Amino acid sequence: MLEEHVDYYINDDGNFVFTEAYHLKRGFCCKNGCLHCPWKQPVNQEETKK
């Protein structure tokens, strides 16, 4: 179960933002360029245009 302020928070726009702790628990990078990604994978702009 996700815990607010540990695994995620809700930003000013009302969006859920996953924390670094959540990403580490998940154990892999989804390559979506998440704000708190501990793996810091850049988003490939060419792939997002497809």
Side-chain angles (χ1 to χ4, degrees):
M1 176 149 231
L2 297 177
E3 186 177 343
E4 189 172 5
H5 304 294
V6 174
D7 296 313
Y8 71 93
Y9 60 90
I10 301 173
N11 69 9
D12 292 338
D13 294 328
N15 298 313
F16 282 70
V17 180
F18 292 112
T19 64
E20 184 175 351
Y22 168 78
H23 291 294
L24 290 171
K25 286 181 195 178
R26 187 177 61 191
F28 65 92
C29 178
C30 64
K31 297 183 175 59
N32 284 323
C34 299
L35 180 63
H36 299 294
C37 180
W39 296 281
K40 303 294 182 204
Q41 295 292 322
V43 174
N44 184 337
Q45 295 300 323
E46 291 302 314
E47 287 189 21
T48 59
K49 293 178 184 177
K50 293 181 183 177

